[in-house]
Structures are given as structure tokens and as C-alpha cells.
């Protein structure tokens, strides 16, 4: 039944692909095939549903913000992290610097670029990229994640706005350490190559309170996971987060590489891949497939028929 | 046990009262006693816990935005309402007009003043204030709610910013009808006189999917309630909504009159009263009492020990 | 020679008319003929050059801001006026409220709507519209100025943004008195019906330090005129003021009715009429004619060949 | 008589020094003595008036923006320069990035940091710092200008906001070439060490239409100088430019190092030094001395008694 619902969700999502467009500001990403769509669901009790392009690799992009935040919370603690970044939805685009300059020295939340760069600046003195990569493999239950060198190069060439954000954070005294090293780690984390399965794996660990249900191994503290899930719910889908919370009601994080990672509390992790994006930068096929699945399986946090 | 937890939550909240201040821009509200605090919990299965100032009446203020939104969704439907107002957290103060002028003609969400005024403009041709008042009594399970004439007068005298917002909405073509009539209904709805019990009643109906658990009577459609709860979670606590979602994780709506109305999915409605406000305009005692209660009773939406 | 230069300036300006558009937000103004262009020059030593549509009447619109400011400075004094409004170019559109809300309670300058409405609020308790109209006739050396009732009605119907600005100013405590009465006077002043001759007359009085050179009668104090001229130079051409100062270098004020009033220090007053507007809201034909005239007759304040 | 007026202007300015403060964001500048004040006037007909601290050297800071703009206009031409930067007063602080992000890709004008950095980026491929320094010596009629190494180091250490601006300009495609090289040249130009005499020299050349009146040598084209003077008048005194134009009415450019350079059309160049700054970042003593001098000698562009 899960596999059947997944298949129908994929079909539903596919109907919207023609309304999406490829990201254009990172040339390497503009080469993707906008017709692709994949959906992968892993449940707490061991079921797996996969359909469509679930093996194709793409770069994780902003979904890495979840990994960075979880790592920083795990290593530096709640209070230190949130002394440097706030927890508020910003209502602005992911790469906005408006609020940073007008309203607050601290970035609004760790899911927008400014906040994520700040979080990565806390990780830079602690971990090499290789260590972060290894940790990503563990959290995603996927040992095959690698750096996509071509996308990394492409981001490096076109990443001036992120460099501007890093220097702005430094000028405000919230980013300590070297701005260029921080940005390099940030670009590398964005260029990790995952597939829909990796994202379903990550979603499952988070849905399950930080424990891999297969091995029973705890990978993240329960409190860290709770914070991450809440931030995903309020801020995870760029400036479409509020509408996604209303219509879908599942904590999720999207990336401009075309991925969405979602987690249904105590039930399942979901990964989708579809590089055609809507006007907020979210995968349009993935978003619509999740909307279908939420309605069909009663996954909305406030669906009274949800388990 | 519930009564005991409520009492301890009240004590915990009381410890923060001295950090709060009374609202100052509506003179009549500045007369409240900042030392007051009350907490009232109604559960789905009929338990009631009350402690502190639960009978004292105060004006509902922004919590009326929940009633307006629910009424508009019920009468005009999801699509019409959200063609006039968005569903996104704004990251700005409740009375901000920045985004309205810069980013979008539609207000960002129905929980900020601009959005709520837009919603009330849809109700103005449909209902008199007396009809809305009667409906509020039904939803709050409290037949004694009346208009606080003194606060209504005070808001009328000091409400120029809300008039500016109404005319700005009219100039953008989203507010139709008479700006002054809309604002008058908006001020009256804000000046309805409730107590912590009324708010717990409203919270219970919403927590219970729109049905009064005592009478079994359906007061709101399940879908309407789901939207309302999601908007409360992402936008209900002014520009402290994100942090409240992380720390407390219960859909809630506050008002500058000192009230907070909260609803724990399928479990309970909570009303608090404490006119001393934090720097975001939320009752500091009420907020802290809710934080205590959430931790103690595992009420956070992502608390894995929640029922 | 002056008449010849004026004729060539008119021809030059006419070449740009097809690039302009009529204002659209006041329906009555959208009825104008975009092919019209008129130019009128009055010199200190009694020369007059007129060509094109110099007798056709149109509404003065924002050029009335100069009359309001001069009157307020004359009656209330420099210090009082500039305690309510600043003297800084805003860099924003004429009807912007951004700075008003973000940066300062006082409007940035008396040439944008917010500043002019504030200035008119100082005049409201002092003068009836009829008195202001009479004063405008005197300053423009034109006894035939009347209220254009149709445009006044049209502004009243579409003026919600200006009402929003008035209430916003009231909410900040800078606009005292009745917002609606102020706005009504503001709309009436904008709807005064002038022609290019009236504007040349006003320009001449200002260019001549406040004295009507024909009669020798002093109409405005020299100090008032100096402030007015400076504000025209830095803020008179909407958000094209800086470029106009560079390219033309003459204090000028435009209105969306199609008029421009300009004054060349100690030399001449110029009035133009051309309802086709550029993308900043300035008469495109009038602006180009002035640019031609400035170059030809060395009228730029920093033209070393100017007299 | 000129010397006498200058002395009295200096005394007048000195009375305001205690209201000023030293700049704090560049540590090396915070070491200046806030009690210093110097005034130097050079007239077209060879008079010189000097009083106070006219020999003490300080860094030119933002006054270098005039030299950069003049050089770029001279070498690249009006059209190319203003295809990359606008000519509008911004109404924002000198280091604002708000408008750059909200309103336009091009910086608002060449007198704010963003605009000046853009202008310097056009010079970077053309000239070494040493060549620019040599040119500055020529324009200021002062062969002794050198790089203040300590201030240059200090700016380099604290210049992250300017780096952010450079990368933001690059991300918008208006700054071409290397951001870091551009910023390095920008910092060096700001750290050129001048005195009040150098500024009076520069002011004299500009007041005199680009010709050194002593030698009769043309240093800048007349058209370049006209543009520069107009930009100084509308944008030269940071966000106090409008008020300075009203009260003083002389094209001027200030720097946070404490200098002001001013030029009275066809009459004189003026340099002042006083490191105590007002709340807009302008030398308070220098500004007040200029206000006195303008009143006393009728230097205001719209003073009808001016020659």
C-alpha cells in the first residue's frame, strides 16, 4: 500500500514538472534534466518504497544546512549556536541580506544562507571537510556520498553573494575566523552528492528522534533533533515554508539541486529528487508529491486521523 | 497531577513577571496590574486545571485574529481567503508595513495586523459586530464575553497606524469596501473581554479538531482548524514565533492584552493571562508557564514521549 | 535670440514625447493628450518667450509642494517647519513610506508626498483652500488659477495611499490635527489648474529672490526663497533629481500633471507643460527641453560660462 | 578681510567641537585629537587665508572619492562611468547596502562607499596606486601627500563591510575584475595623508573649472568638474548633504578622517580639518566654520548677494 501511494504521488508530482524551471545562477546545476523525478520512503518499521529516479546523484545544496545545524548543536550546544543565529522565519528569500542589515546583527535562522554560513563558521575550526563528509554519510545511511567537484567549482566561481554575506557577518562581529575558509567549507558541503535514498535515510534518522531504526544506534541527541525538526517546519522550504506547513504539514528541507528531505514524526523519512524548481526555489515535483502523500496517508502534523 | 503541574507552571511563570512591561500604546491597557498571572487547562477527556487569575477579564486583542480567520475560512473558503493574504511568517513586527510595501501586495499572513485587517474586511459585509461577538462566545465556550467599551474607545483614539494599514491595503486593491468600517469592526473584535477560561475553551475546541468535546457539537470544520493551528504555530507569537515553536512547540496565539491561547493536538486547550509583556509583545508569565508545562507534560509537537 | 532658443528647445523635447507615458493612477489625468508640449520663459529684465501649448490648463500637482513649503516657511518659520520634516533627498519614489517607517519619524523632505502632507497639515489650521488659491494666484502672477473639480474628484477617489501616509504620520505624532482635513486640502492644492505661463511666473518670482520684477513687489522673503530653491535642486525632480542636477543644473519642480517649474538664479523663470512622463514621473518633453536650454544658454549652476 | 573672516569662522567652529566624537570603527583614526581645528582658503585671485591646524596631516578618507570620480570621468568618460553607478542621492548612510539590494543593481552615486568602490574598480586595471597618488598630488597642488601606512593597515583589518560591498557588486555583475585588488586600491586611496592646505588646493582647482589658477594649467576638463561639483552638492556630506546644501550651499566633500574640501564657484577653494565628527560623520568644527563663512561672505549658491 505504501509503494502504491508512493507511485501515485510520483505521478501526481510529474504533472507539475512542466511548470518548473532549472536553477540558473549555478551553471553546473542548469545542466540537469528537468523531467526527472524520484521518490523514496523509508519507514520506522522497515518498509521501503522507491519509485522513479531514486539512484541518480545530485548535489545536496541547502539540505546540508540541516547537517551543519545538527552537527553544531551536537558539538557546541544549543545556547552557543543560538547566541550567533536566531530561530525566526525571516519571510525573505534564502539569500537575502535585508534583515541582517536592518533588523538584527544575528542572521534570522540557520536555514537561510546567512545563518548557515554562520553555523559553518563554528564548524570550520572543529572539522575538516572530509570529516564532515564522513559524518554526512553516517547520518544519511549512505556510504557513497562524495564531493561533486564540477558543482563545487561552479559554486566557487559564482558564489560572490555568499562571500558578501560572510564578510558582512564578519563586519558585525558574529562571524569569527576566516571568511574565505568558512565559505569554502560551505561550498563543499553544498556540493555533496546524494540521491533520493540518502535523503530518505537522513529523514528517517530525524523522524526517529536521532536513532537509526535498523541498527538501533543513536546518531543525534533527541533534543538536537527536536530543534532541527522545528526549524525545518518553520523555515525549511525557503519563503514557501508557511504555505508548505499549511498544505503538507511535514518538516522538510529543500535544496536548489532538486532534493527535498522530509520526516514524518515517528513514522517515516522521505527523500525526493526533481530538479525543476518552483518560483521559491523548491523542487516542484517533489513538493507536489509530498502534498499528495500527506493527504493520502494523513501525514500532516495536525491531521486528526494521523496516528 | 494536571492541577499540580499547572500550579508549578504558574509559579515558574511568576518568577519572570518582573522582567515584563505593560503595553503602552493603548492607554487603557496600561492600567492593568503586571503582577497578575492565571492559567487554565481544559483536556479533551474533561479534566480542568485552574490556578491564579483565571476569572479576571481582559481584552482578547490579537487572539481575535484566530476567530476572524476561522470565521472567514468557514464562510468564504480557503481559496478566497488566501487569494487576499499569504501564509508566510514575516519575520517582522506585528504592525510592520515594510513587507506590504516592498515585497508583496498581499499581507504576509493573517496573524499580523495587515493580514487580520484584510480578513476582517471580508467579514464586514457578512456580519455585524454583535453576530461576531455571539460567535466568539460559542467558540470560547463562554457566554459572558462582552465589548470592553473603555478599551474600544482607547483603541479608536490611538489606532492611526491600523488606519494607515487599512488605507494602504485599499490603495493596493486588496482591501475592498470601506476602510473605516473595517477598522471599526477590527477594533471591536480586539476589545472583546475574555478570561483565561475563555481562551482555554477556544483552545480546546481547536485542539479537538473543531468539536466541543463536552457537547460533541462540531463548531468548525476540521480543515479550517488545521489551517488555523498551522498558522498559530508558524506565526502566532509575533516575531517570537520561531523561538516559541522550538522551545514550547505548541500552536499558540498571544494578544497584547496579556492573553495566550494554546492548543495541544487532541489533548488540551490552555488559556493564560498575564499583562506583563516581553519585548516581542507576548505575555512573559504566560509564555514561561507554557514552556514549563510543555517540558513537564511532553506537549511539544516533536517530543517523542508525547502521546 | 531667447525666442529662437526656446523654439529649438521645444523641438528637441518633442522628439522624446513618444518615449513617455501618461500617468495612470489618477484616471482624470490619463485623459490628457501626450503629444502636447509647451514652453514659456520670463526673464528678470522683462523678456518673454513662449512656444507650443502654453495656454492649455492642467493641474499643478506636486509643484504645489513648492507653494505649500514657501507659505509654511513664511508663516511658521524655518525652525518649526524643519522640526517636522527633514531636508534630505530620500532616494526613494515620491510616494514611498519606506524611510518613514524604517529610518525616521520625520519625512525626509517637503518635496515627497509624506513631507508635503506634513507641511500642508501646518497650513490647515491657518488658511482655507480659497486663501491658499488666492495666494497661489499671486505667486504665479496669474489671476485665473481655479480648482479643477474633475481632477479633485478623481484624486479623492484614488487617494488611499496618501490617506495611509497621513495616518502613518499621525501615528508617529508628527502630524497633528485632522488627517482627513489635511488630505482634503492637499488634494485641492494638487488640483489647482495652471498653465506653462503660471509656472514661468512662479519660477521668475523665485529666481528673482522673492520679488516680482515687474511690480517690484516682494512676495516671499529672500531666505524662504533660498531654502525653496535648494530643496528644488536636491529633491525637485522625484528620484531623478540627482541626474537632473548633473545634466541640467537648474532648480526645478515637476508634477505628474505634466508641468515643470524652473528658476535660473537672478535670470529667468521657466514653465513647461507636457503630460507624457518618463519612468520617474517627470514630463519627458519638458525635461529634455530644459536640458537643451541649459546647454544652449549656459544655465547650469556650475557652468563657468554662465553669467 | 578674508583672513579676518576665516579667523572668526574658526572660532565659531571651535565652539561646537565638544559636541563631536572621533570615528571609532577604524582604530587608528580614534587616536586623533578632537580639539584640533584648521581652516585654509585659497582664492582664484591668489589670496590665501590660513588659521589653526592647517599643517597637520590626516588621511583623506572619503574625499578621495572626488579624486577617483574625476579620474574615472576623465579616463573612461561620462557614459561609461554612469552605466555602472547612478547619480542619485540615496538618503542612506554612506556604507548602506540597502538600496543596492532592494532598489537597483547600480550603486546610487559615486560618493557612497558602494559607488566609490565601483568607480575604483574601473581604475584598478588602468593605474597603480603610485600613479593615483602622483595624480592626487597634482590635483591637490601638494607634492607631499604620502600613504599613511598605519591607517592603511588599520582599514585593512577592519574593512570587512567594504569587502562585503565589493563582493555584492560582483555578484550583481557591476563590479568586474578582482574584488580584493579593488578593495586594496580603495583602502590605499582612503589612506592618503593630506592637510587642510591640500584640500583647499583641490577645492580651488575644482572651483576654477579644472584649471590651476596659479600656473594656468588645465588639470581636469570643465565638464568633468561640473559633474563632480554637482555630485558634491547633492551627495557630498553623507546623509547630511541636503541640510548642508540648505544651510551652507557650497559643494563640499567630507571624510571621516576629519577633512572637508569645499569649492565656491569661480571664487575659492576651502579645506578644513577637525577630527571631531557630528552624528552623520562630518567634521563638526569644519562644517560650522563653513556655515559661518558662507553667511559672512555670501557664498551660498542661491545667496542673491553672492558675486
Amino acid at each position: 500500500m505504501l509503494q502504491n501511494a508512493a507511485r501515485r504521488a510520483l505521478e501526481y508530482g510529474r504533472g507539475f514538472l512542466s511548470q518548473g524551471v532549472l536553477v540558473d545562477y549555478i551553471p553546473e546545476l542548469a545542466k540537469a534534466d528537468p523531467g526527472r523525478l524520484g521518490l523514496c520512503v523509508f519507514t520506522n518499521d522497515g518498509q521501503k518504497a522507491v519509485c522513479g529516479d531514486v539512484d541518480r546523484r545530485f548535489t545536496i545544496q541547502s539540505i546540508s544546512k540541516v547537517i551543519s545545524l545538527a552537527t553544531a548543536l551536537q558539538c557546541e550546544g544549543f545556547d552557543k549556536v543560538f547566541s550567533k543565529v536566531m530561530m525566526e522565519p525571516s519571510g525573505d528569500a534564502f539569500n537575502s541580506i535585508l534583515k541582517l542589515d536592518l533588523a538584527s546583527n544575528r542572521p534570522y535562522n540557520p536555514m537561510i544562507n546567512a545563518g548557515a554560513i554562520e553555523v559553518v563558521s563554528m564548524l570550520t575550526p572543529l572539522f575538516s571537510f572530509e570529516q564532515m563528509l564522513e559524518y554526512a554519510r553516517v547520518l544519511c545511511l549512505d556510504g557513497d556520498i562524495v564531493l561533486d567537484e564540477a558543482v563545487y567549482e561552479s559554486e566557487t566561481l559564482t558564489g560572490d553573494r555568499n562571500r558578501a554575506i560572510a564578510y558582512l557577518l564578519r563586519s558585525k562581529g558574529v562571524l569569527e575566523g576566516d571568511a574565505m575558509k568558512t565559505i569554502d567549507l560551505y561550498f563543499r558541503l553544498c556540493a555533496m552528492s546524494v540521491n533520493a535514498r540518502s535523503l530518505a535515510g537522513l529523514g528517517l534518522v530525524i523522524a526517529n528522534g536521532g536513532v537509526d531504526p535498523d541498527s538501533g544506534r543513536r546518531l543525534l541527541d533527541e533534543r538536537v533533533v527536536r530543534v532541527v525538526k522545528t526549524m525545518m517546519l518553520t523555515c525549511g522550504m525557503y519563503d514557501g515554508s508557511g504555505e508548505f506547513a499549511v498544505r503538507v504539514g511535514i518538516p522538510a528541507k529543500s535544496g536548489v539541486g532538486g532534493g527535498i528531505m522530509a520526516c514524518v514524526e515517528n513514522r517515516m523519512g522521505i527523500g525526493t529528487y526533481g530538479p525543476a524548481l518552483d518560483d521559491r526555489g523548491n523542487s516542484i515535483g517533489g513538493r507536489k508529491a509530498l502534498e499528495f502523500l500527506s493527504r493520502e496517508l494523513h501525514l500532516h502534523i495536525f491531521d486528526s486521523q494521523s496516528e
Side-chain angles (χ1 to χ4, degrees), chain A:
Chain A
M1 182 206 137
L2 180 69
Q3 178 67 34
N4 182 274
R7 191 158 35 230
R8 284 158 57 224
L10 192 86
E11 281 323 301
Y12 181 74
R14 221 189 279 284
F16 294 87
L17 292 186
S18 62
Q19 295 173 31
V21 292
L22 292 173
V23 67
D24 56 356
Y25 63 89
I26 304 176
E28 197 62 27
L29 296 185
K31 299 180 183 167
D33 174 356
R36 295 197 181 277
L37 192 62
L39 172 63
C40 179
V41 185
F42 293 167
T43 70
N44 275 25
D45 55 8
Q47 297 180 63
K48 287 186 192 331
V50 295
C51 39
D53 295 300
V54 294
D55 293 310
R56 171 155 294 265
R57 298 240 157 216
F58 54 94
T59 51
I60 191 169
Q61 298 296 336
S62 286
I63 307 171
S64 69
K65 287 165 175 151
V66 169
I67 296 172
S68 302
L69 174 61
T71 310
L73 286 171
Q74 198 74 38
C75 300
E76 297 284 12
F78 183 91
D79 291 342
K80 175 151 182 211
V81 169
F82 290 110
S83 72
K84 297 285 192 176
V85 58
M86 302 198 297
M87 308 177 216
E88 296 306 320
S90 75
D92 299 319
F94 68 99
N95 61 359
S96 177
I97 53 177
L98 180 59
K99 283 234 168 50
L100 192 55
D101 220 39
L102 283 182
S104 163
N105 282 338
R106 285 184 298 160
Y108 257 53
N109 67 66
M111 298 292 123
I112 57 172
N113 288 17
I117 290 170
E118 180 63 35
V119 166
V120 169
S121 80
M122 298 183 216
L123 301 176
T124 308
L126 302 177
F127 302 110
S128 67
F129 168 66
E130 284 67 32
Q131 289 172 303
M132 288 298 299
L133 175 62
E134 188 48 44
Y135 194 46
R137 288 169 178 161
V138 170
L139 289 178
C140 294
L141 312 176
D142 173 5
D144 296 333
I145 302 174
V146 294
L147 178 72
D148 183 323
E149 297 275 358
V151 172
Y152 166 66
E153 295 289 323
S154 196
E155 302 218 42
T156 297
L157 284 171
T158 59
D160 285 322
R161 191 174 177 90
N162 287 322
R163 288 186 187 95
I165 291 173
Y167 278 113
L168 199 57
L169 290 167
R170 254 190 72 88
S171 77
K172 289 167 179 297
V174 286
L175 189 152
E176 297 164 29
D178 188 277
M180 286 305 194
K181 268 189 199 157
T182 293
I183 285 295
D184 186 64
L185 180 53
Y186 176 79
F187 286 155
R188 286 175 188 271
L189 290 171
C190 288
M192 291 188 299
S193 169
V194 295
N195 58 23
R197 292 178 195 271
S198 334
L199 298 181
L202 178 59
L204 180 66
V205 169
I206 294 175
N208 201 35
V211 173
D212 172 2
D214 279 352
S215 68
R217 191 177 152 213
R218 175 163 291 285
L219 303 177
L220 290 167
D221 284 354
E222 204 266 332
R223 196 184 173 206
V224 164
V225 169
R226 194 187 306 162
V227 172
V228 165
K229 265 183 287 206
T230 310
M231 303 280 5
M232 288 167 67
L233 187 67
T234 56
C235 314
M237 299 294 281
Y238 300 125
D239 41 336
S241 300
E243 185 164 346
F244 189 85
V246 167
R247 291 185 186 271
V248 184
I250 305 173
K253 182 74 203 83
S254 60
V256 292
I260 302 179
M261 179 271 288
C263 42
V264 184
E265 187 66 1
N266 291 328
R267 290 173 67 186
M268 59 182 72
I270 310 175
T272 67
Y273 170 60
L277 306 182
D278 65 21
D279 55 0
R280 268 92 177 245
N282 296 311
S283 166
I284 191 163
R287 180 166 67 79
K288 286 294 181 180
L290 285 164
E291 197 174 320
F292 182 94
L293 223 52
S294 172
R295 218 161 36 217
E296 193 76 8
L297 304 180
H298 302 289
L299 306 181
H300 194 293
I301 43 167
F302 298 127
D303 189 318
S304 56
Q305 297 179 53
S306 71
E307 293 171 297

